[in-house]
Amino acid sequence: MTDPHAIQPSELDQLPDRDPEETAEWRASLDAVAKAAGPHRAAYLMRRTLERAEGNGIALPKLLETDYVNTIPTAAEPSAPGDEEMERKITAWNRWNAAAMVTRGAKHGVGGHIATFASAAWLYETGFNHFFKGKEADGSGDQLYIQGHASPGIYARAFLDGRLNETHLDNFRQESGGNGLPSYPHPRRLPWLWEFPTVSMGLGPLSAIYQARFNRYLTNRGIKDVSASHVWAFLGDGEMDEPESTAALALASREGLDNLTFVINCNLQRLDGPVRANFKIVQELEAQFRGAGWNVVKTLWGTAWDELFRLDTTGALVRRLREVPDAQVQTYQTRDAAYIRQDFFGKDPALVEMAKLLSDDKILECFHLSRGGHEARKVYAAYRAALEFKGAPTVILAQTVKGHTLGAGFASKNANHQMKKLSVDEFKAMRDLLELPIADSAFADGQVPYGHPGAGSPEVRYLQERRAALGGPAPARRVHPVGPLPAPAEKAFASFDKGSGSQNVATTMAFVRLVKDLVRDKETGKRWVPIVPDEARTFGMESLFPSLGIYSPKGQTYEPVDRDQLMYYKEAKNGQILNEGITEAGSMADFIAASTSYATHGEAMIPFYIFYSMFGWQRTADQMWQLGDQLGRGFLVGATAGRTTLTGEGLQHADGHSPVIAATNPAALSYDPAFAYEVAAIVKDGLRRMYGEAAPGEDPDVFYYLTVYNEPLPQPAKPGGQGVDEGIVKGLYRFNTAESAGLSPAANAPRIQLLGSGTAIHWALRAQKLLAEEWGVAADVWSATSWTELRRDALEADAALLRGEERVPFVRQALSGAEGPVLAVSDYMRQVPDQIAQWVEQDWSSLGADGFGLSDTRAAARRHFGVDAESIVVAALAQLARRGEVKATAVKEARERYGL
């Protein structure tokens, strides 16, 4: 047994005790309280002492948990402005129409969620009536991240304020016929209403943090003062299990983002059952957020509990609330007063006596109905406290009942997330509970009606007046007519056309050099947002540190160790580079905020996010989908690309498939440029399309993915002739022919077309020479800058054909008349070039780096995967042999000669 008087580790303090006698007195006092009044009283005094110390700014470890009660006592709540009764009526209509919308949709089998908004209705209504600033407010208004499953309630409010009609509501989750409403917040589907996609759970909180941070970035850099904007993120307690939900909590507190508030709807339920059945999710979240440095406001109990807390003279009630697990709280929600008396109050003699003073109705009111998240006054107090707190972000933990007001069949039931409808009788009971003037006769043929008090009703006038006072409707997305950005000077791009001569230059470095020139442009240079996950030196970007600065809200409070060097590490409050540390998810959240600034803030920014290509799409493809949904624009750059170029790094670093994943994203334009001038041409066209004048039929709401390589090689000059620029952008052009390469093939020499992308074109060029000099075969070499764009163009041609329109795919046009078969090769899986096989009229074959990567030299890796120049030669001869254009023995001879 441990000796209670032995020296404990916490007592081995490095600080000297200047007054041991006083210290002993404090300890003795604590021992005396514990002995005389019990450990609960001693713990109470210690908590209050620590809270006092924290309030006075005394440096002590913070309390990570507080009692399971409201942070703001009833007596300290500010009086809420406005007409609470009117707001109750508005909320009642919204509750009704949200449930009616989903129930009517259930007849078509389209689903929907009722219970989430039922629990969170007051969390939204209080904000809409008193806090959330619209687009006409100062700055850019507020940014609202709406919990995806609560979307029916937001649609119901837009119906009440006149922005939606019954036809829209009847087309909830039925978008294909027009006038439909997407299931969740999808800006691409409903771009005038939704700003932020949130239903891929965990991405909403992560994005909200980086949006609040990007707001500060815009302000500190002098792009636009958006200091009046506040970011509100509405989340579920179950959603907080997602690692992305809490991945950036420390960033938010470290940078003092008091322009950010999380509102977590703690209804204690996730999709299948309790969030923390045997524990308490509110206490867990409080500890997590307080430990990360956030301000925490708990809004747990409604005013019906005030009487119980007044009766709790011994602290027994507070202790019991702390110990009851969440699943049991849910059980109380569904049980009668006798059960609650026995199971909750019966555990402590003091509580037994308290229960004798309470009627059954009072007990049921407290345990069935009265939650802090269901009372406008409680929610208002929490929101006001969040806005008034300075120096750190705030999280509001609001306890609610999932399925509140939907009836006993819904409230707190484990299955309520999957319950999609109410019966007519349940709707009538809900109508009576909400005191809505809807007659029984309105339920024609068993169909639940929508409810609306009328466009000129006091409710609608009040709602619209409140929104007008706060800066207009919300949520709302607007693209401000700022006009196209001026194009950068042509010389920034043209400088790559002449090639690098004898100098070896990797395409990664070519991209960085291009950006260096573009950020110096007087018109648009300040709008570039370089984003890098702690790999800037890997990509040769350290020269940008002193010239652009790394963004830090604190500037540089230290003297950098490399201050005497030319490329020293410079942080600045107005720094342009976002160097995020080792977080691809955080970097993508940065990119999303910057890429959508043209809509969120009316300020077009040009982000480029450069990363190890293996750790981009594979790790954060869900965020790339979110980016497409949010209509983001910018450049994603997968550096150190390919399966064989990153020597020595091995299996988990060798990217052979990012273009495959990128091809699945309709908003991503994926390119695998081989040469520096191709990189320049693609970036130039991307700036035109996304930020300049898009051509008719072009969607500017896209983003570009470029794969660039860390393999230094001589960069050729841009070929002359027509169609090169068009081919680079569309995905294919002929780089040279056997004749233009000076190989002088015989007049009747067999001919083959070699298509290569990225670094693979260098192997194709070597194979071209080997084929000519050792086998008498003429090969033409093509640069396939985008297999994906070629495929998409061909798919569009197929769709046009079904409409009766004649259209030839670009890949077929480009290869028209090209002699011989086609052999395609890339540093990726064969399915990357195989995307276009069905539209190529010539005989098709491909080579690629399928399988896991491995650590070795580039030459050995390429030989391993069968994509080096010699392997290309053998594959080309085999293709020609099948056609009878070379002898079959040539294939065997080549294999033996090259040791394959």
Side-chain angles (χ1 to χ4, degrees), residues 499-517:
S500 65
S502 60
Q503 182 185 7
N504 289 336
V505 177
T507 51
T508 297
M509 183 53 64
F511 177 82
V512 172
R513 288 182 182 178
L514 175 62
V515 169
K516 286 180 182 178
D517 290 337

Side-chain angles (χ1 to χ4, degrees), residues 768-836:
Q768 178 190 44
K769 186 175 181 181
L770 290 174
L771 283 167
E773 294 177 350
E774 299 185 12
W775 305 99
V777 172
D780 302 336
V781 176
W782 300 69
S783 180
T785 54
S786 179
W787 309 101
T788 302
E789 287 307 296
L790 291 173
R791 175 179 175 82
R792 288 176 176 169
D793 173 78
L795 290 172
E796 290 175 5
D798 287 354
L801 188 62
L802 292 176
R803 298 191 299 267
E805 304 170 16
E806 288 292 335
R807 182 178 158 195
V808 180
F810 178 79
V811 63
R812 189 169 296 168
Q813 295 178 44
L815 291 172
S816 177
E819 299 177 34
V822 167
L823 174 60
V825 60
S826 83
D827 205 14
Y828 294 96
M829 304 168 69
R830 285 179 61 181
Q831 68 192 78
V832 174
D834 283 349
Q835 292 181 87
I836 66 170

Side-chain angles (χ1 to χ4, degrees), residues 655-721:
D655 172 25
H657 55 280
S658 67
V660 179
I661 308 175
T664 66
N665 191 311
L669 278 63
S670 181
Y671 287 91
D672 187 26
F675 306 123
Y677 66 80
E678 292 178 352
V679 172
I682 293 164
V683 171
K684 177 182 177 181
D685 189 71
L687 291 172
R688 175 199 61 80
R689 177 169 177 170
M690 295 184 292
Y691 299 97
E693 296 285 357
E698 277 188 329
D699 182 4
D701 297 322
V702 295
F703 59 94
Y704 283 62
Y705 175 54
L706 283 74
T707 47
V708 293
Y709 298 81
N710 69 326
E711 186 170 13
L713 292 164
Q715 294 296 325
K718 184 177 180 180

Side-chain angles (χ1 to χ4, degrees), residues 318-542:
V318 173
R319 290 195 300 272
R320 182 67 179 136
L321 289 174
R322 283 177 60 89
E323 68 188 24
V324 176
D326 284 351
Q328 191 63 23
V329 173
Q330 299 295 83
T331 298
Y332 294 148
Q333 179 71 35
T334 63
R335 297 301 182 92
D336 60 18
Y339 177 89
I340 298 171
R341 285 181 186 277
Q342 178 181 351
D343 191 84
F344 181 83
F345 292 97
K347 303 295 184 181
D348 187 295
L351 293 181
V352 171
E353 294 303 312
M354 179 189 294
K356 292 177 182 178
L357 303 175
L358 303 174
S359 67
D360 285 356
D361 286 345
K362 182 66 176 180
I363 289 174
L364 292 179
E365 180 187 12
C366 288
F367 284 84
H368 284 192
L369 301 174
S370 187
R371 299 292 187 275
H374 295 323
E375 295 188 12
R377 180 178 176 178
K378 304 289 186 184
V379 176
Y380 180 89
Y383 287 5
R384 177 57 56 199
L387 291 183
E388 291 175 353
F389 190 88
K390 300 303 176 185
T394 293
V395 59
I396 295 169
L397 303 175
Q399 186 163 278
T400 66
V401 174
K402 194 167 185 178
H404 184 59
T405 73
L406 297 179
F410 263 84
S412 290
K413 294 298 176 67
N414 281 339
N416 62 19
H417 192 80
Q418 304 304 324
M419 297 163 69
K420 311 299 182 185
K421 59 184 178 180
L422 297 173
S423 68
V424 169
D425 287 342
E426 287 172 323
F427 265 109
K428 289 180 178 178
M430 180 182 176
R431 171 201 61 189
D432 295 342
L433 175 66
L434 298 177
E435 300 178 353
L436 291 172
I438 300 174
D440 285 351
S441 59
F443 293 84
D445 301 321
Q447 176 82 298
V448 57
Y450 294 121
H452 200 293
S457 65
E459 294 94 326
V460 172
R461 288 201 307 272
Y462 180 90
L463 181 156
Q464 293 176 340
E465 287 169 359
R466 292 305 310 140
R467 289 311 317 157
L470 288 166
R477 179 181 183 274
R478 294 187 183 174
V479 178
H480 303 266
V482 295
L485 294 181
E490 178 64 26
K491 65 179 181 180
F493 307 102
S495 63
F496 293 90
D497 291 351
K498 60 184 178 182
S500 65
S502 60
Q503 182 185 7
N504 289 336
V505 177
T507 51
T508 297
M509 183 53 64
F511 177 82
V512 172
R513 288 182 182 178
L514 175 62
V515 169
K516 286 180 182 178
D517 290 337
L518 293 175
V519 295
R520 286 197 289 262
D521 185 86
K522 293 181 179 179
E523 295 290 338
T524 59
K526 67 178 182 180
R527 297 192 176 274
W528 283 87
V529 183
I531 302 167
V532 58
D534 197 37
E535 289 282 4
R537 298 183 193 276
T538 301
F539 307 136
M541 294 175 59
E542 64 269 31

